[in-house]
């Protein structure tokens, strides 16, 4: 069959001859119209001829012509204008036709200024004071805000106009200059616009400036509008403004190479780059604000997300103290345990091998020891040795359990115990994580550098790591606060499930209640195993768990898990009704909403692919609950 499919049939009747394919030159009428649309006048003249080129009736002023005039009027337009964007129409002499996908700094008329004298700074500040809102953007020496030094600040409040203020390297001089802008940045009556404003706010904290007043973060605005998309300024500019900004890699190189510092970039280049950033961000605000209003997201944006920026900035700036001696001691203990775990694995395997190598591990487990005759293989042909595979084998084979323990020990040591001390800031000897608002589509926060959310808590070893986070002195305490089963309470409220609501109102353990209902026994007769299964069902239902998924989690037959889920819905019928309604509504609208209107778009909710559709349906059930919990917290 493969050969038949690949065989070319030479007896197919043809409806044309080779003469029909002979090239007789361009269709001048269509080509002329295309060149007019693309404004390629010189090319039109060269390729089609003078008679077509002369048909053009009017030629607007070119950007280069206007730009030359702008130079003479720069002092007149400084701080005041409103320059109109025009496209360069005199295209370069080029060999081939290269389509211009986006406008750039070279094709749009702009009025960017370097504000590098006391007089100009004073004038700029006076104009900033008069604005109801302005955009600002910092250029710094580091992505780590806590140690970043200011290289400059850019401001914009008119379309296609912006002002860049260079900041000297000398710290005392820099502080003196930045202090000039303190009054306007701390003016609570002026709205501050920015892209990823938390970073800029943190950097300015290093210079004793507290940004005050309402804020508008374009990154967060887009995060609410399209939570599953990318929110970087360059991507937003291309998608919403058809504009491609100057690349930072063109200034300081790629991250993977020996990336330079913004401090080393020529003033005229960094001035254009920074001013463009502020200008683009200002334009994005005018586009996003109406969309937020149209989608009913203003309240969430203005009352939850934007105020949270300042809270997170304070938290990041404060940081947390780490007991390095405790971690050093624990690291030594883990190293000993790792060696011991290795010995146990080698003894059971009967051979020394690289346990960290998936290929060598797979060969030992499935070729030498033959633990599973039906072992799965990856696309590359080697045996799958992931956590899920080993966890299944661990019930019958001790070596699988020992390998899992070995991996846990190695991860704890490398990812946390040895890594945390390297992340301590030299400035204040504290660890400063970054809390990300615009990553998880559900609205939850995430934490990076380091990820403080993933530190284990249920194991004794994980608790040892958490014990290394300490108070800064004897006058302070660490406070632990948590919501009690918030997602289950939200599920009860959304579905109006009376049995579940009554349990919460009367302070009865919800998992015991569920077990009692599902397994049809009295509350006093609920066993720990029943409660464990009920707990898995309670939380699994929120994530749209299937009988297959529950069977895997509880390590029970699929038939039994299906019976448990069926009994659950029999006892809590309102939850089933709610889940079906949410999925049906999502099919109609294409999205689901949280209690504060945060949307999660589900592109595959009506997909013909059952796997994609099932994933979207589970998100339809989960997103409003998990997202509402995030809204409230």
């Amino acid at each position: 069959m493969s050969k038949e499919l690949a065989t070319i049939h030479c007896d197919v009747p043809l409806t044309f001859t080779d003469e029909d394919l002979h090239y007789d030159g361009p269709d001048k009428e269509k080509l002329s119209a295309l060149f007019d649309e693309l404004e390629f006048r010189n090319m039109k003249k060269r390729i089609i001829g003078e008679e077509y080129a002369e048909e053009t009736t009017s030629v607007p002023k070119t950007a280069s012509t206007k730009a030359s005039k702008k130079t003479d009027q720069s002092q007149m337009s400084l701080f005041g204008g409103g320059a109109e964007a025009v496209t360069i129409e005199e295209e370069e002499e080029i060999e081939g036709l290269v389509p211009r996908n986006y406008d750039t700094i070279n094709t749009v008329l702009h009025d960017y200024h370097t504000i590098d004298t006391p007089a100009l700074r004073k004038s700029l500040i006076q104009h900033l004071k008069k604005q109801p809102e302005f955009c600002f953007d910092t250029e710094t020496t580091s992505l780590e805000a806590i140690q970043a030094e200011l290289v400059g600040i850019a401001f914009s409040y008119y379309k296609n106009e912006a002002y860049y203020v260079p900041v000297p390297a000398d710290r005392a001089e820099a502080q003196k200059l930045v202090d000039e802008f303190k009054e306007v940045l701390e003016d609570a009556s002026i709205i501050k616009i920015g892209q990823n404003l938390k970073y800029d706010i943190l950097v300015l904290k290093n210079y004793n400036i507290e940004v005050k007043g309402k804020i508008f973060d374009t990154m967060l605005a887009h995060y609410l509008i399209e939570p599953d998309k990318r929110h970087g300024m360059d991507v937003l500019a291309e998608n919403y403004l058809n504009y491609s900004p100057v690349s930072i890699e063109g200034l300081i190189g790629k991250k993977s190479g020996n990336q330079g510092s913004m401090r080393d970039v020529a003033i005229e280049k960094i001035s254009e780059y920074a001013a463009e950033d502020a200008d683009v961000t200002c334009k994005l605000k005018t586009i996003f604000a109406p969309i937020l209003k149209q989608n009913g997201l203003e309240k969430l944006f203005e009352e939850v997300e934007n105020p949270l920026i300042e809270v997170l900035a304070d938290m990041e700036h404060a940081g947390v103290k780490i007991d390095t001696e405790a971690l050093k001691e624990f690291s030594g203990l883990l190293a000993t345990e790792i060696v011991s775990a290795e010995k146990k694995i080698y003894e059971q395997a009967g051979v020394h091998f690289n346990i960290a190598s998936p290929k060598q591990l797979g060969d030992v487990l499935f070729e030498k020891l033959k633990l599973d005759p039906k072992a799965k293989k990856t696309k590359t042909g080697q045996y799958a040795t992931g956590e899920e595979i080993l966890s299944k084998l661990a019930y019958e084979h001790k070596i699988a359990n020992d390998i899992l323990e070995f991996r846990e020990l190695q991860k704890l040591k490398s990812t946390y115990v040895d890594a945390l001390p390297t992340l301590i800031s030299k400035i204040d000897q504290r660890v400063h994580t970054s809390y990300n608002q615009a990553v998880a589509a559900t609205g939850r926060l995430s934490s990076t550098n380091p990820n403080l959310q993933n530190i284990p808590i249920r194991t004794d070893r994980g608790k040892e790591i958490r014990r290394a986070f300490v108070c800064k002195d004897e006058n302070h305490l660490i406070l632990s606060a948590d919501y009690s089963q918030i997602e289950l309470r939200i599920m009860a409220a959304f579905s109006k499930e009376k049995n579940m609501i009554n349990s919460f109102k009367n302070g009865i353990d919800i998992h015991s209640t569920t077990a009692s209902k599902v397994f049809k026994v009295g509350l006093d007769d609920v066993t720990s195993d029943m409660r464990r299964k009920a707990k898995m069902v309670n939380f699994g239902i929120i994530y749209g768990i299937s009988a297959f998924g529950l069977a895997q989690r509880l390590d029970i037959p699929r038939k039994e898990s299906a019976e448990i889920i069926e009994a659950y819905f029999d006892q809590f019928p309102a939850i089933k009704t709610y889940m079906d309604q949410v999925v049906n509504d999502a099919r109609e609208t294409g999205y689901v909403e949280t209690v504060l209107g945060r949307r999660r778009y589900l592109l595959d909710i009506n997909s013909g692919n059952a796997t994609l559709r099932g994933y979207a349906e589970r998100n339809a059930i989960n997103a409003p609950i998990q997202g509402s919990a995030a809204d409230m917290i």
Side-chain angles (χ1 to χ4, degrees):
M1 185 177 69
S2 294
K3 182 182 178 184
E4 182 187 347
L5 288 172
T7 302
I8 297 173
H9 284 251
C10 298
D11 55 350
V12 175
L14 301 179
T15 57
F16 59 88
T17 64
D18 56 351
E19 285 81 9
D20 295 330
L21 303 178
H22 182 71
Y23 177 65
D24 293 319
D27 182 328
K28 292 188 175 183
E29 206 166 296
K30 287 184 179 179
L31 190 59
S32 174
L34 177 63
F35 281 153
D36 285 344
E37 180 187 345
L38 299 174
E39 300 173 346
F40 286 176
R41 303 186 205 293
N42 290 342
M43 193 174 288
K44 178 178 176 180
K45 192 183 297 184
R46 287 201 307 273
I47 295 176
I48 305 181
E50 292 288 339
E51 71 277 10
Y52 273 91
E54 288 170 2
E55 289 177 13
T56 304
T57 54
S58 63
V59 182
K61 291 179 181 176
T62 67
S64 54
T65 306
K66 283 195 174 183
S68 64
K69 289 185 177 181
K70 185 191 72 173
T71 306
D72 298 330
Q73 300 171 354
S74 60
Q75 292 305 315
M76 292 172 60
S77 65
L78 192 62
F79 312 120
E84 294 299 322
V86 294
T87 307
I88 288 183
E89 293 152 351
E90 291 293 314
E91 69 280 351
E92 299 287 336
E93 293 288 327
I94 53 176
E95 294 298 321
L97 183 63
V98 181
R100 184 183 293 124
N101 294 323
Y102 302 109
D103 286 330
T104 69
I105 199 168
N106 298 316
T107 66
V108 171
L109 180 66
H110 54 274
D111 210 9
Y112 297 162
H113 301 270
T114 303
I115 308 301
D116 54 1
T117 68
L120 286 174
R121 289 197 298 272
K122 184 178 180 181
S123 183
L124 172 60
I125 291 166
Q126 290 305 315
H127 281 83
L128 289 172
K129 285 180 179 179
K130 297 174 184 177
Q131 307 307 317
E133 60 182 36
F134 63 75
C135 175
F136 79 96
D137 179 55
T138 61
E139 298 303 330
T140 66
T141 57
S142 172
L143 291 175
E144 301 296 329
I146 198 70
Q147 63 190 36
E149 295 179 4
L150 275 171
V151 175
I153 311 175
F155 296 91
S156 177
Y157 47 87
Y158 280 128
K159 180 181 177 182
N160 298 323
E161 292 189 17
Y163 311 94
Y164 177 68
V165 182
V167 176
D170 180 81
R171 182 63 193 223
E173 289 298 313
Q175 186 65 58
K176 187 178 176 183
L177 185 148
V178 174
D179 282 342
E180 296 176 22
F181 291 85
K182 185 178 179 73
E183 182 184 356
V184 71
L185 287 167
E186 293 188 348
D187 188 336
S189 68
I190 303 174
I191 298 171
K192 315 300 188 302
I193 304 163
Q195 167 79 9
N196 189 16
L197 265 173
K198 176 159 65 69
Y199 175 84
D200 302 298
I201 290 170
L202 274 166
V203 170
L204 289 173
K205 279 179 181 288
N206 298 339
Y207 292 81
N208 302 316
I209 288 182
E210 298 289 334
V211 176
K212 294 178 183 177
K214 282 190 175 182
I215 55 180
F216 190 106
D217 191 321
T218 51
M219 180 181 76
L220 282 183
H222 185 255
Y223 168 64
L224 294 184
I225 293 166
E226 293 191 281
D228 289 298
K229 299 293 179 66
R230 290 186 293 159
H231 315 295
M233 194 202 74
D234 289 4
V235 174
L236 299 182
E238 290 175 358
N239 291 344
Y240 288 90
L241 303 173
N242 196 45
Y243 185 92
S244 182
V246 174
S247 167
I248 191 170
E249 292 182 352
L251 296 180
I252 60 176
K254 295 183 178 180
K255 287 182 182 179
S256 56
N258 294 321
Q259 194 173 51
S261 167
M262 293 298 274
R263 186 81 76 192
D264 304 323
V265 180
I267 188 68
E268 61 273 10
K269 286 188 177 181
I270 193 173
S271 182
E272 288 266 286
Y273 169 83
E276 180 191 57
D277 274 5
D279 180 25
V280 166
T281 302
C282 213
K283 291 175 186 174
L284 288 171
K285 189 262 181 181
T286 62
I287 292 174
F288 291 158
I291 299 176
L292 290 170
K293 187 173 184 178
Q294 180 184 332
N295 291 355
L297 294 166
E298 272 186 318
K299 180 182 175 70
L300 177 63
F301 183 64
E302 293 175 3
E303 296 183 17
V304 178
E305 294 290 1
N306 278 330
L308 182 60
I309 292 173
E310 298 173 44
V311 176
L312 295 179
D314 284 342
M315 290 167 63
E316 289 183 24
H317 190 259
V320 63
K321 189 177 179 182
I322 301 288
D323 186 341
T324 53
E325 286 303 313
L327 286 177
K328 186 177 179 181
E329 187 179 323
F330 188 40
S331 178
L333 180 63
L334 286 176
T336 303
E337 291 185 5
I338 287 170
V339 171
S340 176
E342 281 179 324
K343 285 181 180 178
K344 286 194 290 184
I345 293 167
Y346 293 149
E347 285 172 7
Q348 294 172 79
V351 64
H352 275 252
F353 64 100
N354 183 359
I355 303 171
S357 164
K359 186 179 187 310
Q360 291 185 36
L361 178 61
D363 290 343
V364 168
L365 295 181
F366 305 116
E367 294 285 349
K368 185 176 186 299
L369 301 179
K370 302 190 184 303
L371 298 190
D372 184 1
K374 297 179 181 179
K376 293 180 180 179
K377 289 191 174 183
T378 64
K379 291 179 181 179
T380 58
Q382 66 186 39
Y383 289 104
T385 58
E387 185 177 347
E388 187 180 340
I389 301 291
L390 293 178
S391 295
K392 289 180 182 178
L393 293 171
Y395 290 102
E396 298 179 27
H397 305 283
K398 187 175 183 301
I399 189 172
N401 191 62
D402 290 341
I403 290 165
L404 286 171
E405 185 180 15
F406 169 81
R407 286 182 177 176
E408 184 200 355
L409 290 168
Q410 276 207 322
K411 183 179 180 180
L412 286 176
K413 188 175 187 301
S414 61
T415 308
Y416 301 112
V417 180
D418 293 344
L420 281 172
T422 67
L423 297 172
I424 293 174
S425 170
K426 294 177 181 177
I427 295 172
D428 59 2
Q429 284 68 56
R430 296 166 74 81
V431 170
H432 301 267
T433 188
S434 293
Y435 296 106
N436 309 306
Q437 276 178 270
V439 173
T442 57
R444 284 180 167 181
L445 294 175
S446 68
S447 164
T448 50
N449 296 323
N451 183 349
L452 298 182
Q453 292 176 314
N454 275 9
I455 297 174
I457 189 172
R458 291 184 176 87
T459 64
D460 289 336
R461 295 189 185 104
K463 289 175 182 175
E464 283 297 323
I465 298 173
R466 288 179 174 248
R467 198 169 285 125
F469 290 82
V470 295
C471 308
K472 67 178 182 179
D473 55 43
E474 65 278 4
N475 296 320
H476 289 79
L477 295 172
I478 287 180
L479 171 70
S480 175
D482 194 9
Y483 279 79
S484 169
Q485 299 170 331
I486 185 170
E487 290 181 345
L488 292 179
R489 292 175 188 269
I490 289 171
M491 167 67 95
F494 281 6
S495 64
K496 297 180 174 61
E497 175 50 61
K498 291 180 181 177
N499 286 330
M500 194 173 276
I501 290 171
N502 288 335
S503 294
F504 280 125
K505 282 189 172 181
N506 296 319
I508 302 170
D509 176 56
I510 188 64
H511 303 312
S512 295
T513 301
T514 302
S516 172
K517 298 281 186 186
V518 169
F519 296 108
K520 295 181 173 59
V521 296
L523 270 174
D524 294 337
D525 297 322
V526 172
T527 65
S528 59
D529 186 59
M530 288 178 181
R531 187 183 182 279
R532 178 180 70 88
K533 290 177 180 178
K535 182 178 180 180
M536 192 65 73
V537 176
N538 273 331
F539 287 111
I541 291 298
I542 293 173
Y543 292 90
I545 199 168
S546 64
F548 176 74
L550 184 63
Q552 281 194 313
R553 289 194 190 184
L554 293 176
D555 192 33
I556 59 176
R558 189 170 176 180
K559 184 181 178 183
E560 184 183 342
S561 69
E563 289 171 353
I564 290 174
I565 290 176
E566 187 178 347
Y568 182 91
F569 287 135
D570 282 343
Q571 294 300 319
F572 302 110
I575 290 179
K576 177 63 174 165
T577 303
Y578 165 74
M579 289 167 62
D580 291 341
Q581 186 61 51
V582 167
V583 172
N584 288 333
D585 289 347
R587 289 199 181 104
E588 292 291 324
T589 62
Y591 63 84
V592 289
E593 285 186 322
T594 69
V595 67
L596 289 186
R598 187 189 303 276
R599 291 185 179 182
R600 179 79 187 271
Y601 291 92
L602 305 162
L603 302 181
D604 297 316
I605 194 69
N606 293 307
S607 172
N609 183 312
T611 303
L612 293 176
R613 187 175 66 252
Y615 179 73
E617 288 172 353
R618 288 191 293 277
N619 271 334
I621 295 165
N622 170 245
I625 297 168
Q626 195 179 108
S628 293
D631 288 351
M632 292 169 70
I633 292 169

